[in-house]
Amino acid sequence: MDGAALAARIRSELKDEIAELGGVGLATVLVGDDPASEIYIRLKHKAADEVGIRALDKRLPGETSEEDVLELVAELNEDDSVDGILVQTPLPEHIDEARVMRTIEPIKDVDGLHPYNAGQLFFGRQTLVGATPVGIMRLLGEYQIAVAGARAVVVGRSLIVGRPVAMLLLHANATVTICHSRTDDLARHTLDADILVAAVGQIGLISADMVKQGAAVVDVGINRTEEGLFGDVDPGVADVAAFLTPVPGGVGPMTIACLLENAVRAARYRRGALAFPRS
Ligand code: NAP
């Protein structure tokens, strides 16, 4: 499954929409100097610039207090030129991530991490849903992979990937199993999967003998080593799976494209072109 090609198409379609809206503003907040987070922020800004989104790059030193981070988020909430706000995670340990997410105005919450948006997803009334889970569903749709009635297994239960993608698969009528670090006999579950999503962060955790013949396998993992980027899925899985997302070039570019799409969606909500359910 070629995420790079689909992402390029989405980005080019967005350009016209953004021009029609008369511009869209996306603010990112990076606290500290985590090297992987810096790369993600750079990629997000580059992609935003290319489609004509005004990207605001807010950076705070790692020792910034929680109150100061909350204050910056509150300022961005008030800033009318900002349609979407993304706080890059992980935040330094002394900052309560959940409290920061709760401070973002739900209508600007492009990562879908405010409890309001997460709750809407839980109820099956999607508002803003994180870019990675949305990107995964778009890829499955692009390759016409039947989700309704399929057995989907999601390995990983993070708030940013595992749980929301499991919810989206459930709403698309898959029968969903969520696995995690305490799952006993992981292969027993993965072997049953028509659709297998690996979002763990362990190189090659999913080997060919854990995958059903003909399955669609989505590798979300991004593991950086001196030899390059590797996913959670062993390349040998390509011999068994009917579909497999490469790393790099699979979910990664889709995440960026869908983040831009979420910023446009937030702009539509804010301008009343789409109804944001508030009461
Ligand atoms: P995370 O918050 O660290 O969550 C990892 C999940 O994997 C946890 O739920 C953990 O279980 C589970 N896990 C750990 N070891 C396991 C094992 N041996 N068997 C089964 N489950 C296990 O990570 P994340 O933020 O979801 O990210 C996961 C990976 O995706 C990372 O490599 C990250 O870099 C990558 N990622 C990629 C994109 C993209 O755009 N491609 C976007 C986001 C993340 P517990 O809950 O029990 O601890």
Side-chain angles (χ1 to χ4, degrees), residues 36 40 44 89-90 131-133 136 154-163 178-183 186 198-203 205-206 210 219-224 230-232 246-247 250-256:
Y40 296 137
K44 287 166 184 174
T89 56
T132 306
I136 293 169
V154 178
V155 189
R157 57 175 165 182
S158 68
L159 296 178
I160 191 93
V161 192
R163 287 182 216 213
I178 305 175
C179 301
H180 45 77
S181 68
R182 306 290 293 273
T183 297
L186 183 61
V200 173
Q202 276 183 35
I203 296 181
L205 175 73
I206 306 296
M210 295 169 75
D219 189 354
V220 185
I222 298 182
N223 304 292
R224 285 173 203 283
F230 296 91
D232 290 345
V247 175
V251 177
M254 287 304 295
T255 294
I256 303 229

Side-chain angles (χ1 to χ4, degrees), residues 136-137 151-158 161-170 174-181 183 186 189-190 193 195-200 206 218 220:
I136 293 169
M137 297 306 287
R151 285 170 191 258
V153 175
V154 178
V155 189
R157 57 175 165 182
S158 68
V161 192
R163 287 182 216 213
V165 79
M167 276 295 146
L168 292 175
L169 287 162
L170 179 65
T175 300
V176 183
T177 301
I178 305 175
C179 301
H180 45 77
S181 68
T183 297
L186 183 61
H189 301 281
T190 58
I195 297 170
L196 176 60
V197 179
V200 173
I206 306 296
V218 178
V220 185

Side-chain angles (χ1 to χ4, degrees), residues 1-3 5-6 137-146 243:
M1 287 183 265
D2 186 349
L6 176 55
M137 297 306 287
R138 292 286 290 269
L139 264 173
L140 295 175
E142 175 73 7
Y143 285 87
Q144 296 177 13
I145 289 157
F243 297 94

